[in-house]
Every structure is written in C-alpha cells, then in structure tokens.
Amino acid sequence: MKLSQFKFNLPESLIAHNPSDVRDESRLMVLHRDSGKIEHKIFKDVLDYFDDQDVMILNNTKVFPARMYGNKEKTGATIEVFLLRELNKELRLWDVLVDPARKIRVGNKLYFGDDDLLVAEVVDNTTSRGRTIRFLFDGTDEEFRRNVEILGETPLPKYIKRKATADDKERYQTIFAKNEGAVAAPTAGLHFSRELMKRLELKGVEFAEVTLHVGLGTFRQVEVEDLTKHKMDSEQFIIEQKQADIVNRGIERKKRICAVGTTSMRTIESAVSANKTLKSANDWTSKFIFPPYEFSIANSMITNFHTPESTLLMMICAFGGYEHVMNAYEIAVKEKYRFYSYGDAMLII
C-alpha cells in the first residue's frame, strides 16, 4: 500500500486540546470488522461488549515530565530540552531533542531552574535536533529524579496548542501507569476510570499488563510513498510470563482478546511464539504494521482516532480492514468525533 492511500481531510476544529470532563465519558465508535457496521456509544459502554474470561491487554508504561526549559550559559537564551531516554544511569547520560537546535553545540552547558537545580553539558550531536547530554549532578538517583519532576513539564504533543497544566499531570497518564519511561501516553488507556475497571472485573474480564515505553518515533511522519521503505524507531517493551499466561489462557478458551491501544498491539505482535501464542520478553521493537497483515494474538482492539498518513492509522487499517476503517474515519469527521491523544475512542470487534 502507498502513503497517499491514508490521506483524509481532518478539520483543525476536531483536534482535542483538552480531555473529556470524565475519563470514561468520551465518545466511542464501535466498528464491526466483519460487516463494517458502526455504532455510536459512550466509552463506558465497552462493558456491554466484554464477558467473563475475556482479556484486555493494557500498556502500563508511565509518562515522565520529559519537557524541560533551560538557559544556555553566557547568552542566557531559553532552550527547550525534550528528554527522550536515559542512556546511562550512573553517568546520567540522556538522549534529548533541543530547540532551537542551531544554538546548541557540543561543550555547551545548560542551566535548569531558578537556582540552577540541574546543570547539563552537551557531549554529542546525534541528529539535526538530537543531542546527548550529561547531567552534572552528585546526589542520589532519587534526588535527581525528584529534580526532573520539579523542573519537567507533562510532554503534551505539539499539536495541543497550550501550556501543560497541573490537570495534565493526572489526565495525560493512565490510571494503571506503573513503569516510568514513556514520553507520550498510550492514549487508548486514558479512557479507563477506576469505576469502569472495577465493573469490568466484576463481569469477569481479566487484565494482562505489558510495558512499551512510547518514544517520539510513534509520531514520526512517514516520508516515503512506498511503505516498505519506512523505518520505525525502536521502543523498549517488556512482557512478564505471568501476563503472557493470562493472554494465552484467553486464546485457549477462544475468548475475546482486546489490545488496548496501538502500543499494546505492537508489543504483543513483537512477541509471538511459533504456535501463535504470546511469549514473555524484554526487548526492543521497531515493528511497523500496515495492510495487509495477519494478526496473531488479539481479535479486538480499542484505539483513539489518529492523524492522516500516520503509522497508527495504518495499523488500525490493517486490523479493521482498509475500507471499513477509512469509511469509519469519514463518518467520525462528519459526526464531529474528537481526534488524537485527548480525543474519542474506537472499539474494533
């Protein structure tokens, strides 16, 4: 398939800049992938589609406050530093993006906070905007993380045209977030409230947790018309044996196995055994899923509404069927569903 086949017209007004008032009360479109039938619901209605011993696979990664603002030594110019990932805990080496990049060279020092709570030195250039920096900090790892927490902002995506607030700290995080390491939220999980999870549990639905630390590569634009030439960035994922067992029991019982979000789907599709079951893993994946593709583990999924020409939309088309999904997106635009991270949800069954 070609990149241009994933174009659609998305009015700017449908991009959600704020979350719904209540987590589980965003809108939900239900797409039946065999017939293409569409239903319009509220998110908490997912309850009606799942039963005893069905399995939902959740990504329990936790977003850290990755966006920091520092000042360059001598000039005092304000520099945005986006922490991508920690390369070495002992040396406090980090992969980062800097903006404006042209002003930041190897050897430059950056100062963060009114009283220079953290100081970093640029040690390498990685890409046009990418740098490796070393934080010059003598305290414990706990103290270092606390300072990052104080100085960092919730890394809202750039298309949300406002400053991050205290509310975002809570709402741009799933309620089951545990393992810190993501620079973007696994957004399909944002719709789950504690009450809804309790009600699903009472119905007998089982939850299996996996971890995929979402990197910025998730949002990287595809710049080649021939999709086979696009390279995904690697992201770290972890599946524990106990969690794989929950999923495999569901497969054995021929139950509904639901991947909550594209990140959960990419994780499980990166750890399929020879006999089409899920295996435990601690690895990196750069798996790119686009049509045609045969899925091995999940037979349903929950996802948000994604951008035109994004790798996320391509995965959804592979799962729900290209025609069905593109038709559903056309209807979503017509019906004024909200798009992207803080937007509405879709259940594909």
Side-chain angles (χ1 to χ4, degrees):
M1 293 199 84
K2 302 279 183 265
L3 174 65
S4 49
Q5 289 174 269
F6 296 91
K7 267 193 177 125
F8 66 93
N9 185 28
L10 178 66
E12 191 75 20
S13 60
L14 296 186
I15 296 170
H17 292 277
N18 293 287
S20 59
D21 292 342
V22 181
R23 277 187 192 266
D24 58 17
E25 287 183 3
S26 50
R27 291 165 77 190
L28 175 73
M29 179 187 281
V30 182
L31 170 64
H32 296 259
R33 60 187 185 144
D34 52 353
S35 63
K37 179 183 145 192
I38 283 171
E39 301 174 81
H40 302 286
K41 303 281 185 178
I42 297 294
F43 190 79
K44 55 173 131 185
D45 295 332
V46 292
L47 202 58
D48 302 335
Y49 297 87
F50 292 90
D51 245 313
D52 190 29
Q53 296 181 337
D54 285 343
V55 180
M56 284 188 167
I57 302 168
L58 310 171
N59 182 4
N60 67 12
T61 187
K62 191 174 187 181
V63 181
F64 65 95
R67 185 173 279 125
M68 296 169 67
Y69 293 93
N71 297 98
K72 193 178 159 190
E73 64 177 335
K74 297 193 179 92
T75 65
T78 300
I79 307 293
E80 180 187 308
V81 176
F82 195 101
L83 304 176
L84 288 177
R85 64 171 171 239
E86 190 171 38
L87 299 172
N88 185 309
K89 197 178 250 190
E90 280 68 50
L91 298 175
R92 305 206 196 284
L93 281 180
W94 283 75
D95 235 348
V96 302
L97 294 176
V98 292
D99 197 19
R102 66 183 188 283
K103 293 184 172 178
I104 300 301
R105 298 191 174 87
V106 172
N108 286 162
K109 282 206 173 82
L110 299 168
Y111 295 86
F112 300 91
D114 296 340
D115 45 2
D116 302 338
L117 201 53
L118 287 176
V119 180
E121 183 183 7
V122 181
V123 294
D124 197 9
N125 289 332
T126 51
T127 61
S128 59
R129 285 183 58 216
R131 303 288 183 271
T132 301
I133 66 172
R134 179 171 58 232
F135 284 99
L136 311 171
F137 186 78
D138 292 332
T140 64
D141 192 53
E142 261 171 44
E143 290 167 332
F144 172 70
R145 306 243 160 216
R146 200 162 43 241
N147 287 354
V148 170
E149 192 71 37
I150 291 165
L151 295 166
E153 264 186 17
T154 302
L156 292 181
K158 284 282 192 199
Y159 56 74
I160 293 181
K161 305 271 194 286
R162 61 175 178 78
K163 289 284 272 179
T165 65
D167 279 354
D168 292 310
K169 208 174 176 124
E170 186 223 337
R171 291 300 302 271
Y172 196 64
Q173 195 82 271
T174 63
I175 59 165
F176 41 81
K178 283 190 188 80
N179 298 326
E180 193 168 86
V183 299
T187 55
L190 296 178
H191 303 282
F192 285 83
S193 64
R194 284 192 172 74
E195 188 198 12
L196 177 59
M197 288 187 78
K198 194 82 216 144
R199 290 172 72 192
L200 284 161
E201 237 170 72
L202 289 171
K203 220 175 166 185
V205 175
E206 296 189 57
F207 295 103
E209 293 188 8
V210 298
T211 305
L212 180 133
H213 292 314
V214 190
L216 274 189
T218 298
F219 306 109
R220 194 182 296 288
Q221 282 184 304
V222 181
E223 287 165 350
V224 284
E225 179 66 0
D226 176 356
L227 298 184
T228 59
K229 303 234 170 10
H230 177 69
K231 294 276 179 286
M232 294 285 279
D233 291 25
S234 279
E235 293 170 315
Q236 189 187 13
F237 74 96
I238 301 154
I239 304 169
E240 289 170 6
Q241 188 60 53
K242 193 175 141 200
Q243 307 299 320
D245 292 343
I246 295 171
V247 174
N248 293 334
R249 270 201 307 276
I251 294 172
E252 213 176 292
R253 292 165 174 159
K254 297 190 165 34
K255 290 293 178 181
R256 191 160 268 175
I257 311 292
C258 180
V260 176
T262 55
T263 59
S264 297
M265 186 67 91
R266 196 157 69 254
T267 304
I268 59 179
E269 284 297 317
S270 301
V272 180
S273 70
N275 60 352
K276 297 279 173 92
T277 57
L278 187 62
K279 54 187 188 188
S280 63
N282 187 338
D283 208 345
W284 291 76
T285 180
S286 52
K287 196 169 193 60
F288 176 27
I289 297 173
F290 59 94
Y293 181 89
E294 201 177 311
F295 291 82
S296 300
I297 307 288
N299 50 27
S300 60
M301 85 179 287
I302 292 170
T303 182
N304 276 26
F305 288 94
H306 305 292
T307 35
E309 300 186 313
S310 63
T311 58
L312 308 175
L313 173 60
M314 291 164 196
M315 181 197 287
I316 303 310
C317 284
F319 188 76
Y322 174 79
E323 277 84 13
H324 288 341
V325 170
M326 294 309 277
N327 174 52
Y329 267 57
E330 213 175 288
I331 290 167
V333 170
K334 222 177 276 168
E335 296 289 330
K336 296 194 167 33
Y337 273 75
R338 287 151 42 92
F339 277 68
Y340 302 173
S341 300
Y342 273 151
D344 294 317
M346 178 189 259
L347 167 64
I348 306 174
I349 49 176

